[in-house]
Amino acid sequence: MRTVFFSFRFEDVFKVNQVRKSGSFSGARRAGFKDHAEYKKIAKGGDTAVKRWIDNQMKGCSVTCVLIGRSTFRSKWVNYEIQQSISNRMGLLGIYIHKLSDPNKPQDTGFFNPPNPLEKHTISVKGLLGISHHPACDVYKTYTWETGFLGSIGNNLGDWIEDAARKVGR
């Protein structure tokens, strides 16, 4: 089983926990989940402290799973985590979680997915004609996590993670 770093905005933590508790993972060291109080303490140390904390949490992980809610695209830290994942040759995948329920917020019933933060980042790919540059969203897949009356729909997280890892030879 792979160690996966979950990248997300803290405001989506209720939805994030639904994915994490899906049965696809075991153990506590999955993406550096810390509670809000601990994060606030780290954030008081400034950007350098937050970056150091993120970098430490990513050590030993082979794939970053970006959980995409309504405003994830604007997150400075999610974008930093994506860039670090690319720099460290980690696999990447995105999962839209905006349609999952959250008792503290109205359910998103829109037909369109929120902006994908992978669109902001570029991947260099070696090919027969040399190195080409592609948006990360063209290289790595993004899925939608939904729940319905039969439970989780599209709950193939383990397969999605393996696919992302294979793309970078891990």
Side-chain angles (χ1 to χ4, degrees):
M1 187 171 289
R2 298 201 178 270
T3 303
V4 176
F5 181 86
F6 284 96
S7 178
F8 62 94
R9 286 195 68 161
F10 197 83
E11 68 189 32
D12 293 322
V13 73
F14 189 87
K15 295 176 180 186
V16 168
N17 281 329
Q18 290 176 59
V19 174
R20 287 194 67 234
K21 293 177 182 176
S22 69
S24 299
F25 299 95
S26 63
R29 191 179 167 349
R30 300 287 180 247
F33 260 58
K34 305 289 183 191
D35 67 27
H36 193 58
E38 186 171 346
Y39 172 76
K40 287 211 174 257
K41 183 176 138 187
I42 293 164
K44 285 182 183 178
D47 285 1
T48 302
V50 174
K51 286 178 180 180
R52 184 174 38 250
W53 177 71
I54 290 169
D55 293 346
N56 284 332
Q57 294 302 314
M58 293 179 106
K59 284 182 183 169
C61 296
S62 55
V63 173
T64 295
C65 180
V66 182
L67 298 172
I68 307 166
R70 251 184 216 190
S71 59
T72 307
F73 186 79
R74 294 188 302 264
S75 170
K76 168 174 135 178
W77 297 120
V78 168
N79 284 294
Y80 174 78
E81 292 160 353
I82 292 169
Q83 193 56 51
Q84 288 299 96
S85 298
I86 293 168
S87 295
N88 294 327
R89 296 196 34 81
M90 294 170 64
L92 272 166
L93 72 139
I95 300 178
Y96 292 110
I97 60 169
H98 62 292
K99 291 187 178 183
L100 291 174
S101 62
D102 183 338
N104 303 314
K105 298 176 186 159
Q107 179 127 8
D108 189 341
T109 57
F111 292 106
F112 301 103
N113 290 326
N116 185 341
L118 294 176
E119 293 173 7
K120 292 181 173 184
H121 301 274
T122 303
I123 304 283
S124 299
V125 178
K126 282 186 185 178
L128 294 174
L129 302 174
I131 296 176
S132 58
H133 306 283
H134 303 275
C137 62
D138 290 350
V139 176
Y140 296 106
K141 293 183 181 177
T142 302
Y143 307 90
T144 300
W145 192 286
E146 298 182 75
T147 55
F149 67 96
L150 296 175
S152 293
I153 300 170
N155 182 355
N156 298 312
L157 190 53
D159 293 336
W160 300 343
I161 289 166
E162 285 302 316
D163 181 55
R166 276 192 294 273
K167 284 186 192 273
V168 293
R170 287 188 170 226

